[in-house]
Amino acid sequence: MNSTDLTAFFDDHNYDIRSTHNGCWIDQKCTMDVVCFVAGQIVDYLEDGGDEPFTKDDIWKYQGAIDQVQMEFTKPDPLAEQAHDEYNKFYRQTMKMLSAAGVLNESGKKRIQFSVVSQEMLEYIAKKDVNALLFLCGYIEKTLKDSGIWHPFSVFFEKQDGASFGDLKNAFAFFEIANTPKNTATEVNRIFTKVINPLAFRRNMHGTIRGKLSANVITKSDIIYNRPNWRDEFLGKDKNVARRQFVRDAQYDYKSEKAIAKAMEEVRKLNTTYRNGRSEVLDWDAYSPANAAHHMFPKGQRKEIASYRENLIMLTASQHMGSAHPNGKTTMVDLDYQYRCLVSKLRRMKEYSDSADYEVSHFYDLERFAFVLDVGLDTDYFKTLPVLDFSPIENGLDLFYPDHPAMVVK
């Protein structure tokens, strides 16, 4: 499933709140990590022989969910009485949102039962929480547009000031009170954050913190329920495989190898001419000549981007065979160092783009770099960024490498 499929799914649904009067279309617990988790537990529950229709309690008390929710979210025992209210909202709010979006169907009032409407969408959301983010952003924006309340959001994202924020917050509160069972601004404000901040994050813009206009642009930590270590899920790695990723083999024809060699030589020449041959990754081992043109996503893993300049970075010999490829094993990639390389490359590209020399400033292409990331990380997150610029891309990398090493701004 890709961005086109997502758009088609949303286009098949009318989310006009003025017609549905659904006050549960989004709620406090509907963050990307919770939505991804709950979708995953529904998928697992059904694969393990669970019946449809099912209730929130079936998923809540499913043994796989009991085990994983404590590990992923550092939460108390789901069966503990004192945790009842929290878990009730955790599952009910998320499942009712998925129902409002058309992924699930719900029936009944006192004992709400759910069934799956779109297995493909449910599995897409469950695969990784960046998918859940893309789903949430698309669903939220489509709902706001269908409901005729998008305009104040559009104005706010254009102006990004206190006046437009105040107008938006008031307009949203008025709309919700007029069209849903929510009848106070306090109730509405609880969900306002869950509506505006995912959209702001995707745009690398300001949103809201503690009910006020945020002082800084919204970051990942502002839009998640918790910070689990989900790097392996992001990268699709089997849980039984070590964190250092083994690389698949691929065959190359002569033209591919020739194109790769040409790109490596061009990147090496630019780095020698304009950076005096220094490493593009400025770490403790960067002080000998950078002679190694390293594929950040190995050519044996991603043939289609092997000849892209944007997938190459100049490293010293010790960086290449000691850090990028641990212990000199070229069949292995250290994921922490992969993140460091990608961010460093992005920053070097920014430096080159500011050059007065036209050929240097246009040597790299940001759209091609976004393509490299989408292919290398098996996503379409970067090509669908509302604003394709250096900061949104670096913020996006934080999503795919949640436990990345600290990067000094250099």
Side-chain angles (χ1 to χ4, degrees):
M1 179 169 284
N2 55 33
S3 57
T4 302
D5 299 322
L6 275 176
T7 300
F9 178 85
F10 297 133
D11 285 346
D12 283 341
H13 294 81
N14 183 356
Y15 299 130
D16 190 347
I17 298 169
R18 295 168 298 186
S19 299
T20 66
H21 304 293
N22 188 348
C24 299
W25 71 276
I26 195 76
D27 223 317
Q28 287 177 274
K29 305 301 180 186
C30 297
T31 58
M32 67 179 193
D33 48 343
V34 172
V35 172
C36 177
F37 178 83
V38 172
Q41 296 313 311
I42 296 171
V43 170
D44 290 348
Y45 167 79
L46 294 174
E47 287 182 350
D48 282 350
D51 295 326
E52 287 189 82
F54 49 86
T55 67
K56 72 177 189 315
D57 288 13
D58 291 328
I59 307 304
W60 170 359
K61 296 171 184 178
Y62 163 58
Q63 189 60 51
I66 290 173
D67 295 338
Q68 291 189 46
V69 76
Q70 295 177 86
M71 177 180 66
E72 301 290 359
F73 293 94
T74 322
K75 291 179 70 66
D77 184 349
L79 303 181
E81 185 175 349
Q82 63 269 28
H84 180 276
D85 288 346
E86 177 69 9
Y87 278 109
N88 183 53
K89 290 186 285 188
F90 186 90
Y91 287 101
R92 177 176 56 82
Q93 291 180 4
T94 305
M95 292 167 70
K96 286 184 75 67
M97 182 277 295
L98 289 172
S99 176
V103 180
L104 302 180
N105 178 65
E106 67 175 89
S107 59
K109 293 185 177 180
K110 288 187 177 180
R111 187 174 183 268
I112 300 175
Q113 295 184 311
F114 298 91
S115 56
V116 176
V117 176
S118 176
Q119 182 72 25
E120 182 182 18
M121 183 61 73
L122 188 68
E123 291 178 356
Y124 171 80
I125 296 168
K127 185 177 180 182
K128 47 192 175 184
D129 58 3
V130 69
N131 286 6
L133 172 64
L134 294 173
F135 167 81
L136 279 170
C137 287
Y139 166 63
I140 291 168
E141 186 167 331
K142 179 65 159 51
T143 300
L144 297 173
K145 289 178 176 178
D146 285 354
S147 303
I149 188 64
W150 175 249
H151 179 68
F153 284 87
S154 178
V155 171
F156 170 68
F157 287 132
E158 178 181 346
K159 294 187 176 181
Q160 289 280 278
D161 59 16
S164 61
F165 176 78
D167 290 344
L168 167 59
K169 194 172 181 182
N170 291 334
F172 185 72
F174 180 84
F175 175 85
E176 284 282 318
I177 291 169
N179 292 285
T180 74
K182 292 180 170 60
N183 53 30
T184 68
T186 300
E187 287 182 274
V188 175
N189 288 340
R190 291 193 183 108
I191 69 166
F192 179 63
T193 299
K194 299 303 184 289
V195 173
I196 189 173
N197 279 355
L199 301 177
F201 175 78
R202 281 284 284 155
R203 291 164 169 78
N204 195 43
M205 290 183 176
H206 296 260
T208 184
I209 300 292
R210 298 185 183 90
K212 299 180 180 179
L213 176 65
S214 64
N216 302 304
V217 298
I218 295 300
T219 65
K220 182 192 173 187
S221 63
D222 298 320
I223 61 170
I224 60 173
Y225 182 82
N226 195 29
R227 190 181 174 88
N229 179 11
W230 279 357
R231 171 191 305 186
D232 293 343
E233 281 80 353
F234 273 124
L235 296 178
K237 182 183 75 65
D238 188 296
K239 294 177 182 178
N240 295 318
V241 177
R243 283 180 73 186
R244 285 174 174 172
Q245 184 183 46
F246 284 87
V247 178
R248 298 189 298 273
D249 291 328
Q251 297 297 317
Y252 294 91
D253 58 28
Y254 172 75
K255 289 182 180 179
S256 295
E257 288 289 4
K258 187 174 182 179
I260 293 167
K262 182 175 183 289
M264 293 172 71
E265 182 56 33
E266 289 171 342
V267 170
R268 183 180 290 109
K269 182 177 179 180
L270 180 76
N271 190 64
T272 299
T273 304
Y274 291 94
R275 301 189 74 255
N276 296 316
R278 292 180 295 126
S279 172
E280 294 188 82
V281 177
L282 306 181
D283 60 14
W284 62 273
D285 206 15
Y287 300 103
S288 55
N291 296 320
H294 169 64
H295 282 87
M296 295 179 288
F297 295 107
K299 63 181 183 178
Q301 182 184 28
R302 294 292 189 236
K303 178 180 179 180
E304 59 267 51
I305 55 173
S307 63
Y308 275 54
R309 297 167 172 175
E310 292 78 7
N311 188 32
L312 292 163
I313 191 166
M314 294 305 301
L315 303 177
T316 67
S318 54
Q319 285 176 323
H320 188 217
M321 301 307 287
S323 298
H325 298 300
N327 302 316
K329 296 181 179 179
T330 57
T331 56
M332 298 178 68
V333 173
D334 185 280
L335 296 180
D336 284 341
Y337 207 75
Q338 185 179 64
Y339 168 84
R340 189 179 292 277
C341 285
L342 290 168
V343 173
S344 295
K345 189 67 186 185
L346 184 65
R347 294 178 181 178
R348 301 294 86 77
M349 286 173 57
K350 176 64 170 65
E351 292 172 5
Y352 284 127
S353 73
D354 293 333
S355 173
D357 186 320
Y358 181 87
E359 289 190 7
V360 174
S361 65
H362 288 76
F363 184 84
Y364 293 109
D365 184 272
L366 204 56
E367 288 188 8
R368 287 169 61 90
F369 187 68
F371 177 73
V372 165
L373 295 176
D374 280 334
V375 172
L377 296 171
D378 192 23
T379 182
D380 61 1
Y381 178 88
F382 294 94
K383 78 174 183 180
T384 61
L385 281 170
V387 178
L388 186 63
D389 205 351
F390 294 95
S391 293
I393 290 177
E394 187 165 337
N395 289 341
L397 284 169
D398 289 343
L399 283 172
F400 290 88
Y401 299 85
D403 299 310
H404 63 75
M407 289 287 291
V408 178
V409 178
K410 292 182 178 178

